[in-house]
Amino acid sequence: MLPLENTFKNRWLWPLLSQFISSPFLFFLHRDFIFTHFYKPSSSFPRLTVVLAFCFLLSNSSLFISLIVLASPEPFPSVYQRRFTKSITFVVFLLLLALRGFVFGTLFGVDYLHRKRWVLIFPVIQRPLVTSLILGIPSSIREALKLSSSAYVISTVLMLPDPFKIKSTMWQLLVQQIAIYLETSVVSFYWEQTLHVSQVVSTRRFTFMPQQESAAPRTNPSEHLLAAIEQSTPRSIFQYCAYLDLCMISESNVETWRRAAFFEETGKTYRRVISVCLRPLEQLTSRLGEGLKGSSAENSDLLSQRLSSPMVNHADLRLHEAFYDFQLCSWSARTVASLTACSRDEDRFGVARFTGCNAAVVSTLLSCLLAVEACLGKKTNPQSPHLLSPANIWRATVDSGKRDFVCKKRESTLHEKAYGMADVLGASICQIISAFHDEMQKGAKAGILDKDWIIKSKPLHSTREILVHKLSLFLTSKPTEGRTTSTPLPKRSRRLER
């Protein structure tokens, strides 16, 4: 495992090197085109320039290292990072920024912490590295102008000159203010680009595969990837990149030889892949079930629910925490759906069916979808399938009686994540049904639909009868042939899939 981690960490070496190269270049470019036009160089200017360039280089490199250390794929740092954060990380982070100006650095640090910008946003499409960096320039310019404008206003208010000691003309004061604004804008843009580079580097796909010159690509090409998932620290960037690689292998038609290795004759590899992907979905279902029980007990009285505080209570907090692994669950659902769908044509030994993985996948997806819909305030009761139109299959639930839980603010983060997760799960189920539609249709007519597609034990959420009914609703909707998880998502949930 150690060679894999060392190889993974090498991805940050070239961005750090680029910081050492770009920092002096930006400083001297700023000196020649902005600084010398507003300030008259003195005799000690060359020596001072070297000192300032070194300080600028040191602070930029320290900023990039701080951003890498603070980066996390979850809304809160992991156990190690949380301890490190409580002690010195944020203090050092603010002090490093203060080297370039107390007001400006503090404002950037407060904005970084308030907006939780250490949370990594994984892109849907893995573009070339240069393209990803160029796409961040417009957003960096916008953020830089906002930050520099705010810093300029605050610093101007806090540092008003003494009216009795002004010896400069109005033109000189105006030129000075323009120079200050340009300088803060340039520095702010470089900070934003540094943050963008750290985000791009952290969220880029890393291919966990053995060396091509070894025998492993022919004997066991999946071992490196599965070891990276199973042995890595939970919720670490290393584990997230491994899940991303697994998802792209399952969905991509370019690496068919790596995907074909999952369906080896013994079935052990396929069971390991399905197991590591179903684990996040099972955890999400269990956490939602626990949170829904707490919210149902706390909101059982209608009057107390109306008089409840708008602040997030303990039950709501548990529901929020359940969606912290939203990205991981999304990749897992897409992976198991893609592998189950392609097993119809690529599984030569029938390991997906004979090992019971197909039933486990469909049951887990349905249970998780029912739990997410319950979080959205919907109950599912067995009804005749013709009562629901195909257009409503994404929310194929019938409200009856009092809702267990209703999001207090429909535009809240909790509702958006639940809405987006329901779309991903629904699209994943539709992808499987599209591949096995005829087979499932025959099983439904014969009354044995649950034999191959629903587990015999009690599901994590709801009952077997509800799962069979839900699957029948999806089957009755007649999904479009070849539909995949690339189905366009609603506007609110689409940005969560970034």
Side-chain angles (χ1 to χ4, degrees):
M1 191 61 191
L2 185 59
L4 277 177
E5 292 183 349
N6 291 337
T7 305
F8 179 77
K9 292 177 181 178
N10 289 338
R11 65 163 58 193
W12 286 290
L13 293 180
W14 76 263
L16 185 60
L17 181 62
S18 66
Q19 295 294 311
F20 277 94
I21 298 175
S22 59
S23 295
F25 174 77
L26 179 66
F27 178 83
F28 287 108
L29 187 68
H30 169 262
R31 183 203 64 174
D32 294 335
F33 288 94
I34 297 179
F35 190 79
T36 55
H37 285 75
F38 296 101
Y39 297 99
K40 185 178 180 180
S42 60
S43 58
S44 61
F45 185 74
R47 184 180 303 174
L48 179 62
T49 301
V50 175
V51 175
L52 292 178
F54 176 77
C55 294
F56 192 61
L57 170 62
L58 180 62
S59 59
N60 275 322
S61 303
S62 303
L63 174 63
F64 181 76
I65 295 175
S66 301
L67 295 174
I68 290 295
V69 172
L70 294 176
S72 173
E74 50 186 322
F76 57 90
S78 59
V79 177
Y80 170 76
Q81 289 175 322
R82 194 182 305 120
R83 295 174 183 173
F84 192 58
T85 297
K86 290 181 179 179
S87 57
I88 199 172
T89 303
F90 286 157
V91 176
V92 174
F93 180 71
L94 293 177
L95 289 177
L96 289 173
L97 294 174
L99 292 176
R100 305 178 215 178
F102 179 78
V103 176
F104 194 30
T106 303
L107 182 63
F108 181 83
V110 171
D111 178 74
Y112 181 88
L113 301 179
H114 176 70
R115 295 169 57 183
K116 298 180 180 180
R117 304 184 70 181
W118 68 81
V119 181
L120 299 174
I121 300 177
F122 290 82
V124 177
I125 303 174
Q126 291 287 315
R127 300 180 177 89
L129 184 60
V130 178
T131 305
S132 300
L133 297 178
I134 293 176
L135 290 177
I137 293 179
S139 60
S140 298
I141 293 176
R142 290 193 298 267
E143 294 295 332
L145 292 178
K146 292 179 183 179
L147 183 63
S148 58
S149 301
S150 302
Y152 175 77
V153 173
I154 295 176
S155 60
T156 302
V157 173
L158 296 178
M159 304 173 186
L160 286 176
D162 189 350
F164 297 99
K165 296 181 180 181
I166 295 180
K167 298 181 180 180
S168 304
T169 64
M170 291 299 298
W171 172 251
Q172 292 176 335
L173 289 176
L174 179 61
V175 170
Q176 182 183 8
Q177 297 302 317
I178 294 176
I180 293 175
Y181 184 77
L182 291 177
E183 291 173 356
T184 55
S185 299
V186 171
V187 174
S188 179
F189 173 74
Y190 194 83
W191 288 352
E192 291 295 332
Q193 275 296 95
T194 302
L195 178 60
H196 178 67
V197 169
S198 65
Q199 286 270 350
V200 170
V201 174
S202 300
T203 57
R204 278 190 62 78
R205 179 193 177 190
F206 184 83
T207 306
F208 293 87
M209 60 181 299
Q211 298 295 330
Q212 293 291 340
E213 56 271 12
S214 64
R218 297 184 298 273
T219 57
N220 194 4
S222 306
E223 183 60 31
H224 277 63
L225 176 58
L226 295 177
I229 296 178
E230 296 172 344
Q231 301 176 18
S232 58
T233 305
R235 290 182 171 179
S236 62
I237 301 178
F238 188 73
Q239 187 185 63
Y240 267 67
C241 289
Y243 270 99
L244 173 61
D245 187 32
L246 177 59
C247 180
M248 299 193 70
I249 292 173
S250 304
E251 292 184 337
S252 175
N253 59 356
V254 186
E255 298 176 313
T256 53
W257 67 275
R258 294 187 66 191
R259 185 170 65 186
F262 295 155
F263 302 101
E264 48 91 17
E265 186 175 3
T266 63
K268 294 181 180 179
T269 304
Y270 190 77
R271 282 196 296 265
R272 289 176 64 186
V273 172
I274 297 300
S275 176
V276 297
C277 290
L278 292 185
R279 191 180 305 130
L281 297 174
E282 293 171 351
Q283 293 176 354
L284 174 62
T285 306
S286 301
R287 291 169 183 169
L288 288 179
E290 296 174 359
L292 290 170
K293 289 180 181 178
S295 62
S296 177
E298 293 180 8
N299 296 329
S300 58
D301 188 4
L302 182 61
L303 180 60
S304 63
Q305 182 177 359
R306 290 179 178 178
L307 298 178
S308 61
S309 173
M311 300 297 292
V312 179
N313 54 31
H314 181 65
D316 296 344
L317 182 61
R318 284 187 295 179
L319 292 175
H320 276 279
E321 292 177 351
F323 285 101
Y324 280 169
D325 292 332
F326 171 86
Q327 184 66 79
L328 214 60
C329 293
S330 174
W331 287 334
S332 299
R334 291 164 52 184
T335 299
V336 295
S338 299
L339 290 178
T340 304
C342 71
S343 67
R344 186 175 184 272
D345 300 323
E346 301 179 14
D347 186 8
R348 298 179 299 172
F349 304 102
V351 295
R353 181 186 300 272
F354 296 141
T355 57
C357 291
N358 286 349
V361 167
V362 175
S363 301
T364 303
L365 291 176
L366 290 173
S367 297
C368 190
L369 178 60
L370 291 172
V372 172
E373 289 181 341
C375 180
L376 289 169
K378 299 183 178 182
K379 284 185 176 181
T380 301
N381 290 330
Q383 300 287 343
S384 177
H386 70 273
L387 293 179
L388 292 175
S389 63
N392 296 328
I393 191 62
W394 297 97
R395 298 292 175 269
T397 53
V398 179
D399 297 338
S400 62
K402 182 178 61 178
R403 295 182 176 185
D404 288 340
F405 175 78
V406 180
C407 296
K408 297 176 182 179
K409 296 182 179 180
R410 294 188 61 85
E411 298 301 327
S412 64
T413 304
L414 175 60
H415 183 270
E416 289 183 351
K417 288 188 175 181
Y419 196 91
M421 195 70 237
D423 287 331
V424 174
L425 293 171
S428 300
I429 297 173
C430 282
Q431 184 179 4
I432 298 176
I433 294 178
S434 297
F436 295 92
H437 184 268
D438 295 338
E439 182 179 340
M440 288 184 175
Q441 195 72 33
K442 294 179 181 178
K445 292 180 180 179
I448 56 173
L449 181 61
D450 59 331
K451 182 179 179 181
D452 295 328
W453 300 102
I454 303 296
I455 58 175
K456 297 181 180 179
S457 59
K458 187 181 184 302
L460 291 175
H461 185 81
S462 192
T463 61
R464 293 187 76 252
E465 291 73 15
I466 297 294
L467 296 188
V468 175
H469 169 68
K470 188 74 170 177
L471 182 58
S472 301
L473 292 177
F474 275 95
L475 189 60
T476 309
S477 68
K478 297 179 181 180
T480 304
E481 189 70 23
R483 187 174 188 174
T484 63
T485 53
S486 60
T487 303
L489 299 178
K491 194 172 185 179
R492 284 176 294 180
S493 61
R494 195 179 303 156
R495 64 174 177 267
L496 294 172
E497 273 292 289
R498 297 187 304 167

